Amino acid sequence: MTADRLPDPQRSAAVLIGVSDYVHLDPLPATKTGALKLWQLLTDPAVLGLPADRCNVIPNPQHPYELLRAVSTAAADAEDTLLVYYAGHGVVDPEVATLRLSVALTEAQRRYSSVGWNEVRDEIKNSKAQRKIVILDCCHSGLMMESLSAGMDILPMTKITGAYRLAACADDAVALARRGKTYTEFTGALVELLDKGLPESGELLNLDTIFEKLHERVSPKPRKASSGVIGEVPFVRNRARSATVPAETRTGPQTQWWRLRDRRSRIAVSLAAVTAAAAVATGVVIAAPWDKQTPNGTPGPSPTTSHQPPTPSPANAAAPTTGACSPDAALLDFSDLLDDEGYAGNRVVGLSGLTMVGPTEALAVDDKNARLYRITLGTPEKLDVKPTGVIQLKAADGSGYADEEFDGEGLVIQGDSVLVASESAPSIGRFDRRTGLLREDLEVPDRFRPGPGSAAKGSELLESLAMTPDGKHLYSGLQTALSSDRSNQGSDVLRLLHYRSTAKGGWKLDKQLAYPITDGGELAEIVALGNGELLTLDRSYHPLHGNTVQVYRTTLSGQDVTDAADLGTEPTDVLAEKELLFNLADCPQAGAKNSFEPKNKHQPLLTNVEGMALGPELTKGEYRGRRPLYLISDDNDSKTQLTRLYSLAVDVDTYGS
């Protein structure tokens, strides 16, 4: 690389971290929007042209190690230029006056719940990249200046080497975002400069020029520090002067799936699915035991947030009704027609599991009343949902189930039978589709059964059920981890049961598999794609923040953990790998209303989703070739919750086994 050359996109790497959704601190929606816009610009050949898989967006890392792992991965990938961008709450450790970076689960009084800047610096220092660029958009970001200079190795000046640090504000200042704006003050100015360029400058822009313009335009004033000649050499193309781009730098479509290429932590986000807009970023101080804090842990007024359309647009622009939730998933429609619906003298309530019985027909299980409802769906693009039949499930002797004897959660069709997973007992029963009579119960391990001294949690047992397309493999998963299975690498780990079909059409328990889930989350449903791959529905509910609904592509390790006493002590290669397919909160609001759940006011589309089923391939329209994915929510037979059906178009493959 010579002094008049841009960074080599094929040998460079960037990681863009935006923390917008906090559990214990005030939310900062604009940080997510800014990170996504930077991705658009940095992967645009008219600006820099980084390949999509070398520019990773990391939204809302939950734990400190996730943030560090993201930086470490980018640092290892970069040979020419490494760019690390972070936006979120800046945290000050008062005992040593150093900067710490917050993550989604950071608590103001818990030092271990944030990431020390020195830890991030060390990961960057270990990179072989010739140019190392750090951009921090957070309160007190100027604190990194003193701690970085001595920590970065400077190679001989025969190469373009060095480190460049760009901070949104001084060490004692607060980084801001104005009410109603899409981006934070600093990142907004940065993306505008990259997007529009500088007419008065040449075809290429260097970091020093970018800093000078930011210093003119932004308040509070940003800070910089650099070593070597890195600030003087080209960094990006000047869009105001460069109308054409060499063909060899073009990298394909802009809407890509960002993957952190580390096992179990491949994270994905959608450019088109940002619902965040603006927040007033306030500084957070980690308190020593004798310090007094405000109720939310911040020294000053709480920020005010507002939600905007996915991409920058006028403030009065209407929110989209359908569209992308991620590059591989799009919301087609939703319907509340089943809510408070009646059929054959019954109230249609408590729908917890869903399975397809035809191209546009499904079977849903009522988890409290032991009923199966046949439901017509309409089309994926225009749901017209109504019940058309009901089957009352009965014990083998023909008697009905008492209240505590049945809690159906997952179901699949197998010939003239329907298999239903019930949290009660727990059990997986095979029922006659015509009469509803129980034919047999599948084997369930004793350790899954509640009782004195048991590690099983009585109301959080078998929550899901799925069969592979070839009918040879059956999976059922616990809702939460056994109490004897401690967390592994920061994630709770629960167990899946794997059954193999027998020659006579029955099922034989084959093994147990390990599935990681974010602390506080639950596995609500699975769809078996075959070849050891699943779609998994993780959901959670927080009393302050409402519902979370995320669907993952999951690849099972295949390693049997039946004999493992504690999954927390097992090697990480026994855990399934997960990749986010979509977060329902990132879908367009689609005109949804949810007056029952005010905590979901930021995204009224969200409800207590528990069921999931995959329909046949779409053969026409914008999403031709994708599969419709149906979700259904459980109202828990409560007047304060909704029964809602969703249809999405998802890009997934299914296999024969």
Side-chain angles (χ1 to χ4, degrees), residues 458-475:
S459 61
E460 301 174 0
L461 300 173
L462 296 181
E463 180 77 13
S464 53
L465 192 66
M467 185 170 63
T468 55
D470 63 359
K472 295 181 179 179
H473 302 267
L474 186 72
Y475 299 94

Side-chain angles (χ1 to χ4, degrees), residues 290-597:
W290 54 86
D291 285 341
K292 301 295 183 182
Q293 293 289 306
T294 56
N296 64 0
T298 62
S302 300
T304 302
T305 62
S306 60
H307 295 276
Q308 302 291 327
T311 52
S313 58
N316 61 352
T321 55
T322 59
C325 311
S326 78
D328 288 346
L331 179 70
L332 298 177
D333 198 9
F334 80 93
S335 172
D336 294 342
L337 290 176
L338 286 178
D339 193 50
D340 287 332
E341 178 73 353
Y343 183 79
N346 304 311
R347 291 179 59 241
V348 180
V349 296
L351 301 184
S352 295
L354 195 69
T355 191
M356 302 300 293
V357 294
T360 58
E361 287 189 293
L363 208 61
V365 60
D366 174 344
D367 63 356
K368 299 303 181 187
N369 299 301
R371 298 188 185 109
L372 301 179
Y373 286 99
R374 192 179 183 100
I375 299 170
T376 60
L377 305 175
T379 67
E381 298 84 0
K382 188 173 179 56
L383 293 173
D384 185 13
V385 187
K386 53 181 177 289
T388 58
V390 62
I391 302 169
Q392 185 70 50
L393 299 180
K394 309 179 189 70
D397 62 3
S399 62
Y401 287 102
D403 289 344
E404 302 301 321
E405 291 180 335
F406 183 87
D407 187 359
E409 300 290 348
L411 73 164
V412 297
I413 298 295
Q414 185 187 20
D416 61 355
S417 301
V418 57
L419 300 172
V420 182
S422 171
E423 287 192 300
S424 297
S427 66
I428 301 175
R430 182 199 296 272
F431 294 86
D432 186 288
R433 286 178 62 183
R434 183 178 60 83
T435 64
L437 283 172
L438 177 67
R439 290 179 173 177
E440 67 169 327
D441 280 317
L442 276 61
E443 177 187 358
V444 175
D446 289 340
R447 71 188 305 177
F448 284 28
R449 301 185 185 280
S454 172
K457 302 171 185 177
S459 61
E460 301 174 0
L461 300 173
L462 296 181
E463 180 77 13
S464 53
L465 192 66
M467 185 170 63
T468 55
D470 63 359
K472 295 181 179 179
H473 302 267
L474 186 72
Y475 299 94
S476 184
L478 290 174
Q479 179 177 338
T480 60
L482 298 174
S483 61
S484 57
D485 289 329
R486 292 174 295 178
S487 64
N488 191 317
Q489 297 293 312
S491 294
D492 290 344
V493 187
L494 53 83
R495 297 176 185 247
L496 302 178
L497 296 179
H498 173 243
Y499 298 82
R500 289 187 181 273
S501 62
T502 66
K504 295 183 179 181
W507 294 99
K508 179 178 175 58
L509 182 59
D510 179 55
K511 64 178 71 170
Q512 296 178 29
L513 302 163
Y515 179 81
I517 196 163
T518 302
D519 290 345
E522 300 173 340
L523 176 62
E525 188 59 283
I526 54 180
V527 169
L529 303 176
N531 201 29
E533 296 188 10
L534 310 173
L535 293 182
T536 54
L537 193 162
D538 291 4
R539 60 94 190 271
S540 64
Y541 179 81
H542 192 282
L544 295 179
H545 306 291
N547 295 102
T548 299
V549 179
Q550 297 173 318
V551 174
Y552 292 85
R553 292 185 180 100
T554 297
T555 302
L556 300 170
S557 73
Q559 297 191 47
D560 190 0
V561 296
T562 299
D563 296 331
D566 177 6
L567 294 181
T569 62
E570 292 295 301
T572 57
D573 61 4
V574 307
L575 306 180
E577 295 183 11
K578 297 171 62 176
E579 177 182 48
L580 186 66
L581 179 61
F582 67 89
N583 184 337
L584 194 60
D586 287 338
C587 295
Q589 293 186 9
K593 299 184 183 300
N594 191 348
S595 59
F596 299 129
E597 267 297 350

Side-chain angles (χ1 to χ4, degrees), residues 153-340:
D153 294 332
I154 305 303
L155 299 177
M157 292 303 176
T158 54
K159 296 183 177 180
I160 300 174
T161 62
Y164 201 96
R165 291 85 76 198
L166 187 53
C169 61
D171 56 2
D172 59 350
V174 173
L176 299 176
R178 306 297 179 186
R179 184 190 298 268
K181 297 292 185 180
T182 303
Y183 308 114
T184 65
E185 191 81 359
F186 173 80
T187 296
L190 177 61
V191 299
E192 181 181 26
L193 195 155
L194 297 178
D195 197 17
K196 296 182 179 179
L198 297 173
E200 68 275 18
S201 298
E203 291 190 1
L204 304 177
L205 298 177
N206 62 38
L207 287 165
D208 282 345
T209 300
I210 290 172
F211 171 76
E212 290 168 6
K213 293 301 178 182
L214 291 174
H215 199 268
E216 292 175 3
R217 300 177 182 183
V218 177
S219 181
K221 297 301 180 184
R223 298 290 188 269
K224 73 152 186 172
S226 64
S227 58
V229 296
I230 184 173
E232 303 170 15
V233 298
F235 172 52
V236 293
R237 294 181 178 84
N238 183 0
R239 267 192 164 176
R241 297 292 301 274
S242 180
T244 61
V245 181
E248 65 270 18
T249 65
R250 297 192 178 275
T251 57
Q254 296 296 304
T255 52
Q256 299 288 334
W257 197 249
W258 301 288
R259 291 188 176 101
L260 176 58
R261 290 165 294 163
D262 188 22
R263 193 174 189 277
R264 290 198 310 111
S265 62
R266 293 176 294 171
I267 300 174
V269 224
S270 166
L271 282 173
V274 185
T275 56
V280 179
T282 58
V284 181
V285 177
I286 296 184
W290 54 86
D291 285 341
K292 301 295 183 182
Q293 293 289 306
T294 56
N296 64 0
T298 62
S302 300
T304 302
T305 62
S306 60
H307 295 276
Q308 302 291 327
T311 52
S313 58
N316 61 352
T321 55
T322 59
C325 311
S326 78
D328 288 346
L331 179 70
L332 298 177
D333 198 9
F334 80 93
S335 172
D336 294 342
L337 290 176
L338 286 178
D339 193 50
D340 287 332

